Amino acid sequence: MADRKQVLALEIRSQEGTIKQLRTNGAASTEVDAAVAVLKGLKQEMETLTGGSKKKGKSAFTLKTPKGTKDHNDKEMAIREQVFSTITKVFKKHGAVTIDTPVFELKEILAGKYGEDSKLIYDLADQGGEECSLRYDLTVPFARFLAMNGKEYQNFKRYHIGKVYRRDQPAMTKGRMREFYQCDFDMAGAYDPMIADAEILKILCEALTALDIGEYTVKLNHRKILDGIFEVCGVPEEKIRPISSAVDKLDKLPWEEVKKEMTEEKGLPEDVADKIGAYVKLKGGRDLLETLSKDENLTKNASASAGIADMALLFDYMDVFNITGKMSFDMSLARGLDYYTGIIYEAVTEKSAPPAMTDAKKPQPKTKPGSDELDESTVGVGSIAAGGRYDNLVGMFSGTNKKGEPNLKIPCVGVSIGVERVFSILMSKQKAEDIKSNETEVFVIAVGDGLLKERMEIANELWNADIKASFLFKNKPKLPAQWAACEKDHIPFAVIIGKDELERGEIKIKDMRSKDESQGGGVTIARATMVDELKKRLSGM
Amino acid sequence: MADRKQVLALEIRSQEGTIKQLRTNGAASTEVDAAVAVLKGLKQEMETLTGGSKKKGKSAFTLKTPKGTKDHNDKEMAIREQVFSTITKVFKKHGAVTIDTPVFELKEILAGKYGEDSKLIYDLADQGGEECSLRYDLTVPFARFLAMNGKEYQNFKRYHIGKVYRRDQPAMTKGRMREFYQCDFDMAGAYDPMIADAEILKILCEALTALDIGEYTVKLNHRKILDGIFEVCGVPEEKIRPISSAVDKLDKLPWEEVKKEMTEEKGLPEDVADKIGAYVKLKGGRDLLETLSKDENLTKNASASAGIADMALLFDYMDVFNITGKMSFDMSLARGLDYYTGIIYEAVTEKSAPPAMTDAKKPQPKTKPGSDELDESTVGVGSIAAGGRYDNLVGMFSGTNKKGEPNLKIPCVGVSIGVERVFSILMSKQKAEDIKSNETEVFVIAVGDGLLKERMEIANELWNADIKASFLFKNKPKLPAQWAACEKDHIPFAVIIGKDELERGEIKIKDMRSKDESQGGGVTIARATMVDELKKRLSGM
């Protein structure tokens, strides 16, 4: 316990520093709030450990959510739903369907898929029965689903928006959550080359444009070209993945440091590293493809040559889809996951994400086979989506035949949109009090005697006509309280009733958004026309 | 292990019997499939235990989801999304917002909320840090949220659709899932009496009508009347909850058996039981309210008298909302949860649910305080939604002041719609192959030479015009394969291109739903009018 207290004390100090820094940098208020919430959690944990919480009345509960998790209130959910529905609309336009998998999987399904990050997997307690773990991403469950049902799902475009779980480093100063949403789109099936790959890039561009988060660029590379480069430069086969993962840090570290990792940590001869250095600084568009095509060292290499042919086809298809302008063919993009077998890509926004979302100083080693998603913790500042082609993952689940070949081989290409970062960008663009989280269109207000049943009758009439309506649950509400409720919820129209008006068969409608003084206390209309009148006004919104 | 094998052998035999019975009863194919899946899981577990799985190639994985969980494929998800969106639309019409809480909570938050069913809570493994458990329902997290944020959320209509987790009895022959959706709507706030209660019943009726699952009745009772009856009949205070939970079984058991439980198991004198028996067989509408109001024994009792006054007001308000006809004021409705403090209700469909969903022979004890949802395992056949008023639950989380009173008191009334049962009713109404899970509107088909880039161009033009379009990812797909893909996905329109037509600036559109032979291979139109023509046809669907 003493140890934990010491760690906590350090974490609290570090988090206080982070908050100070965020405020100095003028970070978005939502980011500061998130960091403050983390600090509050740390302090509560400390209080529990030191027995301080006993002072507070008789409540036996620590009133908080578990570390690394949070509630999403109505305003946040309104933004989330808007993001999900925007993305889903794009996915559906391209024929996607959705599936749902359990939040936990058999432990053995996840085992051996995430390299050293397996330690971040949440296990369920042994309460008898099977050993289970919370899912770490949506890709491994998808591959498991395909391996189980592959015969029916050989031609399959699926999206999945769901929460995943990572027991991340106790240091929470990075604002990294232990429960967060992933939003994956994948195409499974054996197709002719690069057609699905081109469509997935088209989908990515459509989604990012629709999300309205500013300018973006999609960095693009091909694993076979990269592997060819490593071979041509003289990297021994067993070092290709570790060297690839060093290259992947080039978006955060200068070449000199990456080179140092290659030579000092990973034992690569300096001249080999220098040859790699010359290649990985290349970036461009079709011009780079031309350059590579003329490089005889590369074209003699089978892997590089296959990759270059793929890219030539891809550029053709991207031209048809009008997305080539958004692409940057970038030899330094390596992507951390071991299992990619073809094109890889990462979308970055031009404006960098808020500082709390990344930790540029200490990049983590990127060795997470078995996960096709955007790694929130390790992608560069501003990275908003990522993915690639992975043709062999499903085979890992399908078992092997007598010859040792997978029973089922389903090639896949996928993309994961970093929705948590999208939320944080969109939340930072607006004030919480300006977000309308309800959809109420009409508030029913009584002037004078309360008129509860009359208000209920009006609301009932509106509901039956599919108009979203509310009223105060009071017998005799004060008039200012009714106006306030209407304004607080940003409700666009008020229906105002009074005893005399009702007797004359009249009500008033007031447009709450209008500053037009001429409507005064509202426009009087015949009650019989109320629904039509409101529908007309609502359809014009 | 030997024990587990014996249990498994029994379970397998029992499950085989269930499947046989389902088939004999002509149960829906989805129900049979679900039961077969359970059997498959049991057999797999047995195979694992007996080492049988080693025979199957080299796959180290047991390819299955954890016991009691399942994948939901695209067809099932299409129905689920339709159900969720129907319900959500009704909730939003009444001003509801949504919040999201973590899938796991601190263990101490859930502790002591579910009585003897606490043993069904899934705990996370101790991997250092806080002790956590998967949520058992959505109500306790909601109460925790209110206790944490109550000042801002004193007037709060929230819905929450999410998964909950229960390590239910290893006997899975009931088709009960360990991971399943709940769909809760609750109103939190101190209002004038019975107004929110009436609106929640209105919402329930609107939702059930919109779901189109057939005729339904809402059974209605009031805890204060029921408690008054028990007091008047002479039930000692400490026995009121156990006796109430015996009454709650009247929808499944004859009175004689319930009486036996009261007298033999729970030690109630026989004459007291008989007095209760006379009351709990009463049911009706306003007429029953009249009868109770004239019963001087009851009206002298403070609790019963308060309950009768509430019900009188509620009937008035239900008349305004035009829902009284759907209600059955039913003295035998007790609802299992301890924490209800006011009205309680349960909606039942006229047609009973498929047999696999319930086990009428062995009702489980209904002692689950702290949960406001439909208990899938114990509610009567055909029960589709349930809820009630619970005014003291939030106070359990808020801590107490020096006087021992809760720091925060937020009265609540809520309803939980049994969406899993709704799904199973709706799924049983249609064949899987008839469900269109994608939304694709147009399939682009080439006659002749493949015309890949031309198909891509057409698709791109359609996507840019917000039309949902697909094509086959093949360079030279055969014509029959293209028609088949179009038909399999129930895509309503085909755009057919050929080299000659394209050169003439023409394409063909074919309405795939029409059996009209006159359109032949499609109607020829100018390519320039394609988008407009399709939009016109799609808007007429």
Side-chain angles (χ1 to χ4, degrees), chain A residues 64 71 130 144 192 475, chain B residues 64 71 130 144 192 475:
Chain A
K64 64 187 278 289
D71 295 322
E130 300 156 338
R144 194 257 315 137
D192 282 334
N475 289 317
Chain B
K64 63 187 278 289
D71 294 322
E130 301 156 339
R144 194 258 313 138
D192 282 334
N475 290 316

Side-chain angles (χ1 to χ4, degrees), chain B residues 28 82 94 168 241 381 406 418 426 436 499 528:
Chain B
Q82 178 192 313
H94 289 266
D168 228 321
R241 287 276 71 79
V381 173
L426 294 180
K436 179 168 163 71
K499 198 159 170 290

Side-chain angles (χ1 to χ4, degrees), chain B residues 373-398:
Chain B
E373 32 59 55
L374 176 70
D375 187 331
E376 300 274 344
S377 65
T378 58
V379 290
V381 173
S383 180
I384 204 87
R389 173 165 285 282
Y390 53 103
D391 286 348
N392 302 328
L393 189 63
V394 177
M396 286 176 69
F397 287 104
S398 67

Side-chain angles (χ1 to χ4, degrees), chain A residues 121-308:
Chain A
I121 293 173
Y122 273 101
D123 293 328
L124 296 187
D126 180 6
Q127 295 168 291
E130 300 156 338
E131 286 185 272
C132 297
S133 303
L134 298 186
R135 64 185 174 207
Y136 183 89
D137 62 18
L138 301 174
T139 310
V140 166
F142 178 57
R144 194 257 315 137
F145 176 90
L146 286 176
M148 277 174 74
N149 303 286
K151 276 170 206 157
E152 296 163 57
Y153 294 96
Q154 290 276 7
N155 272 292
F156 197 38
K157 299 174 180 178
R158 90 86 178 77
Y159 69 90
H160 191 176
I161 298 174
K163 287 173 172 182
V164 300
Y165 299 87
R166 298 181 185 183
R167 281 182 56 253
D168 227 320
Q169 302 305 326
M172 285 182 62
T173 45
K174 288 167 196 164
R176 207 189 296 163
M177 300 302 283
R178 291 177 160 197
E179 174 184 67
F180 60 95
Y181 275 99
Q182 285 200 332
C183 171
D184 283 17
F185 179 95
D186 295 82
M187 298 198 198
Y191 308 121
D192 282 334
M194 310 315 289
I195 311 175
D197 310 61
E199 183 166 340
I200 218 159
L201 289 168
K202 168 76 177 170
I203 291 167
L204 174 58
C205 290
E206 282 185 17
L208 294 182
T209 302
L211 284 169
D212 197 20
I213 45 166
E215 286 301 309
Y216 63 89
T217 301
V218 181
K219 293 198 237 173
L220 189 60
N221 201 357
H222 197 298
R223 266 289 164 86
K224 285 184 181 162
I225 299 179
L226 210 50
D227 288 356
I229 288 174
F230 295 140
E231 283 171 29
V232 163
C233 293
V235 179
E237 205 193 322
E238 72 279 7
K239 285 193 179 159
I240 284 187
R241 287 277 72 79
I243 294 303
S244 178
S245 114
V247 167
D248 195 43
K249 292 174 192 163
L250 276 174
D251 57 344
K252 290 185 211 128
L253 296 178
W255 165 249
E256 284 311 314
E257 283 193 50
V258 170
K259 182 180 164 184
K260 203 182 283 179
E261 181 179 327
M262 290 179 174
T263 53
E264 291 177 15
E265 277 179 48
K266 294 176 173 167
L268 205 66
E270 202 174 325
D271 64 318
V272 175
D274 285 337
K275 283 187 206 161
I276 295 171
Y279 277 112
V280 296
K281 70 177 57 146
L282 300 174
K283 64 177 77 175
R286 250 188 210 280
D287 54 323
L288 176 54
L289 188 67
E290 297 300 316
T291 310
L292 298 177
S293 307
K294 285 175 194 152
D295 183 331
E296 284 188 14
N297 283 326
L298 278 187
T299 51
K300 275 188 296 186
N301 176 281
S303 174
S305 164
I308 290 169

Side-chain angles (χ1 to χ4, degrees), chain B residues 283-291 315 324 327-330:
Chain B
K283 64 176 79 174
R286 251 188 209 279
D287 54 323
L288 175 54
L289 188 67
E290 295 300 316
T291 310
F315 268 105
T324 312
M327 301 292 144
S328 166
F329 187 16
D330 185 334

Side-chain angles (χ1 to χ4, degrees), chain A residues 57-67 69-74 77 81 89 92-106 108-109 113 121-125 127 130 132 134 144-145 147-148 153 156-157 159 163 165 167 179 181 187 190-192 195-196 198-199 202 206 316-317 320-322 396-397 399-400 437-440 452-453 456-457 460 463-464 466-471 473-476, chain B residues 57-67 69-74 77 81 89 92-106 108-109 113 121-125 127 130 132 134 144-145 147-148 153 156-157 159 163 165 167 179 181 187 190-192 195-196 198-199 202 206 316-317 320-322 396-397 399-400 437-440 452-453 456-457 460 463-464 466-471 473-476:
Chain A
K58 282 186 191 163
S59 168
F61 305 106
T62 309
L63 261 189
K64 64 187 278 289
T65 61
K67 192 165 161 175
T69 70
K70 70 184 287 285
D71 295 322
H72 301 286
N73 68 24
D74 54 323
M77 287 306 285
E81 294 200 326
K89 212 178 138 214
K92 287 185 173 171
K93 199 161 85 184
H94 289 266
V97 298
T98 189
I99 66 161
D100 186 31
T101 63
V103 160
F104 50 88
E105 294 274 343
L106 293 182
E108 57 184 349
I109 297 284
K113 302 293 181 310
I121 293 173
Y122 273 101
D123 293 328
L124 296 187
Q127 295 168 291
E130 300 156 338
C132 297
L134 298 186
R144 194 257 315 137
F145 176 90
M148 277 174 74
Y153 294 96
F156 197 38
K157 299 174 180 178
Y159 69 90
K163 287 173 172 182
Y165 299 87
R167 281 182 56 253
E179 174 184 67
Y181 275 99
M187 298 198 198
Y191 308 121
D192 282 334
I195 311 175
E199 183 166 340
K202 168 76 177 170
E206 282 185 17
D316 280 358
Y317 296 158
V320 176
F321 287 159
N322 268 321
M396 287 176 68
F397 287 103
T400 46
S437 55
N438 66 80
E439 295 185 1
T440 310
L452 173 62
K453 283 193 191 172
M456 290 174 106
E457 246 168 50
N460 196 52
W463 293 331
N464 291 344
D466 255 337
I467 294 172
K468 296 161 187 152
S470 283
F471 59 96
F473 291 165
K474 294 278 177 194
N475 289 317
K476 293 179 188 291
Chain B
K58 283 187 191 161
S59 169
F61 305 107
T62 310
L63 261 189
K64 63 187 278 289
T65 60
K67 190 164 160 177
T69 70
K70 72 184 286 286
D71 294 322
H72 301 285
N73 68 24
D74 54 321
M77 286 306 286
E81 293 200 328
K89 211 178 137 213
K92 286 185 175 172
K93 199 161 85 184
H94 289 266
V97 298
T98 190
I99 66 162
D100 186 31
T101 64
V103 160
F104 51 86
E105 294 275 343
L106 292 183
E108 59 185 346
I109 297 284
K113 302 294 181 309
I121 293 174
Y122 273 101
D123 293 328
L124 296 187
Q127 295 167 291
E130 301 156 339
C132 298
L134 297 186
R144 194 258 313 138
F145 176 89
M148 276 173 74
Y153 295 96
F156 197 38
K157 298 173 178 178
Y159 69 91
K163 288 172 170 180
Y165 299 86
R167 281 183 56 253
E179 174 185 67
Y181 276 99
M187 299 197 198
Y191 308 121
D192 282 334
I195 310 175
E199 184 166 342
K202 168 76 178 172
E206 282 186 17
D316 280 358
Y317 296 158
V320 176
F321 287 158
N322 267 320
M396 286 176 69
F397 287 104
T400 45
S437 56
N438 66 80
E439 295 185 1
T440 309
L452 173 62
K453 283 194 192 170
M456 291 174 106
E457 246 166 50
N460 197 52
W463 294 330
N464 290 345
D466 254 338
I467 294 173
K468 295 162 186 151
S470 283
F471 59 97
F473 292 165
K474 295 277 177 196
N475 290 316
K476 292 179 189 290

Side-chain angles (χ1 to χ4, degrees), chain B residues 323-343:
Chain B
I323 52 169
T324 312
K326 288 288 180 191
M327 301 292 144
S328 166
F329 187 16
D330 185 334
M331 286 293 110
S332 75
L333 180 75
R335 297 284 300 137
L337 310 180
D338 279 3
Y339 65 21
Y340 287 125
T341 55
I343 61 162

